Amino acid sequence: MKRSATENKPKGRRAFLISAAAFIVISILLLGFLQALLVPKYMSFPYDGALVREYYDSEPCHDVIFLGDCEFYESVNPAVIWSEYGIPCYVRGSSQQLIWHSYYFLLETLKYEKPSVVVFNAVEMKIGEVQHEEYTRLTLDGMRLSKYKLAAAKRSLTEGESLLSYVFPILRYHGRWKELTGEDLRYLFSRDTVSCNGYLPMTGTKAKTSSAAPPPLLDPALPDVCWEYLDLMRETCEKEGIEFVIFKAPTDTWHYPWYPEWDAQLKEYAGKHGIAYINAIELADEIGTDWETDSYDGGDHMNVTGAEKVSRFIGGWLRDSFGLPDRRNDPDFAAADEWDEVVARYRAAVGE
């Protein structure tokens, strides 16, 4: 018996819906594959782009969180602080990380854990606007999609950028197919770990030879937006019962100067709000900094020996100032095995 057109309609509609659903699923999988292929992997230079992502692989039980740019991720070594003092910490940093990036990292961190101390990098007070879109990508590409990432991206948008491209990076990197290498295939769905809890070991040595004076400071005022976000970070920490510290690493060169006028403003701010501000430039002798051996680029940034000295100093200061416990022999500390891996990874990086 011949079926009527009416009887065939449900089957036809079902077949259409199945085909449409299959097309959508295949399209999503294909776009996901292309996005994974085209986004930079940062498994070779610049490694900095891998740092933010690696935080999510760590156990969220850090007593100290450091927020800052390359001054922190090349000066503060959590492996040394753990080995010397048993203080678990993490450096949430990236290249030219701006102060609002640090603020949104802080808010995001509090969704995973509640540290006892947050240490903020003073040099982020210098810059009140995006310098290069590429640096924003190094910072935010590795951040998990959340309202904090979207807020940080929105505040960072440069002319011609779309907020949607931070949700779907393929919109930013669709033309990168010309630059693909074997690295893009090798790290298509997984990555190696390049840092030691946010610290990027730099093993070279280049002595600081120039003592040239920096360019004159035409306007000593630090950007208003930086004061705004500094207040937001401090107030967030106060609300959460977290100690807030401002720290300046000992580096100070013609390329990256730290002017006395800036130093004075932060000292005044810290005194007004009852928080600690440490200018390690003034403490270089106490730290033991030797500019013949402790930098890999002529004094702009610390190498591994310089970072070990800075880390021993700041770790000891944190322990003494806030009574942070030594967790190396704490049977209830869940991440002890992870710290063995962090220390081993650092020692392997420096050839020990």
Side-chain angles (χ1 to χ4, degrees), residues 267-318:
K267 283 179 178 174
E268 181 182 357
Y269 181 89
K272 177 181 177 182
H273 294 288
I275 61 175
Y277 164 58
I278 303 172
N279 181 358
I281 298 170
E282 303 171 342
L283 302 171
D285 289 341
E286 181 179 343
I287 293 169
T289 303
D290 182 348
W291 291 115
E292 292 292 318
T293 60
D294 290 343
S295 173
Y296 71 89
D297 59 358
D300 290 340
H301 303 89
M302 312 302 286
N303 62 12
V304 291
T305 61
E308 286 186 2
K309 294 174 182 179
V310 173
S311 301
R312 290 189 184 99
F313 167 79
I314 190 64
W317 183 88
L318 288 167

Side-chain angles (χ1 to χ4, degrees), residues 39-59:
V39 296
K41 310 304 184 291
Y42 302 118
M43 292 291 97
S44 57
F45 184 84
Y47 294 100
D48 321 46
L51 300 179
V52 171
R53 174 188 55 78
E54 292 184 359
Y55 169 75
Y56 307 106
D57 296 329
S58 68
E59 286 288 339

Side-chain angles (χ1 to χ4, degrees), residues 8-23:
N8 286 329
K9 278 184 180 180
K11 286 190 176 181
R13 188 179 297 113
R14 191 181 308 117
F16 171 78
L17 291 175
I18 292 172
S19 297
F23 174 78

Side-chain angles (χ1 to χ4, degrees), residues 1 8 40-41 44 47 52 61 84 92 141 151 158 187 208 210 224 234 258 263 293 305 308 324 332 343:
M1 180 183 289
N8 286 329
K41 310 304 184 291
S44 57
Y47 294 100
V52 171
C61 48
E84 295 283 334
R92 298 209 69 183
D141 277 354
T158 55
Y187 296 108
K208 179 179 179 181
S210 174
D224 289 343
R234 176 183 55 77
W258 185 248
D263 181 60
T293 60
T305 61
E308 286 186 2
L324 298 179
D332 297 323
V343 173

